[in-house]
């Protein structure tokens, strides 16, 4: 009797674990497009920041060159 109860408990707990793993995988797959979009936005901001820094550096050099 104890063996049957233990076996039932083990099966029930392992089934719960499988469900949690499956749900986590589905959730992660659903979030994948969001993560890719966030990476693209981050790359755009990095590029814009680099361009702004280059422009600032160029303006500073131009200003220094005009000053006697």
């Amino acid at each position: 009797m104890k063996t049957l109860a233990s076996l039932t408990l083990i099966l029930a707990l392992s089934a719960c674990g499988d469900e949690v793993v499956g749900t986590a995988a589905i959730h992660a797959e659903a979030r994948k497009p969001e993560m890719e979009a966030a990476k693209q936005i981050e790359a755009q901001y990095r590029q814009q920041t680099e361009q702004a820094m280059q422009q600032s550096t160029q303006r500073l050099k131009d200003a220094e060159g005009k000053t006697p």
Side-chain angles (χ1 to χ4, degrees):
M1 187 69 173
K2 285 185 179 182
T3 305
L4 181 60
S6 297
L7 183 58
T8 304
L9 180 61
I10 290 171
L11 289 174
L13 290 176
S14 66
C16 290
D18 290 343
E19 183 180 339
V20 169
V21 170
T23 302
I26 291 170
H27 184 67
E29 190 66 30
R31 302 276 311 214
K32 189 175 181 180
E34 293 176 22
M35 292 299 295
E36 290 175 0
K39 286 180 182 180
Q40 290 176 350
I41 291 170
E42 180 186 15
Q44 290 174 354
Y45 280 126
R46 284 182 189 265
Q47 184 180 14
Q48 290 173 356
T49 301
E50 288 176 13
Q51 288 175 350
M53 289 175 61
Q54 289 173 356
Q55 288 175 353
S56 295
T57 302
Q58 187 61 43
R59 288 181 185 149
L60 180 60
K61 287 179 181 178
D62 291 346
E64 289 175 349
K66 291 180 182 178
T67 305

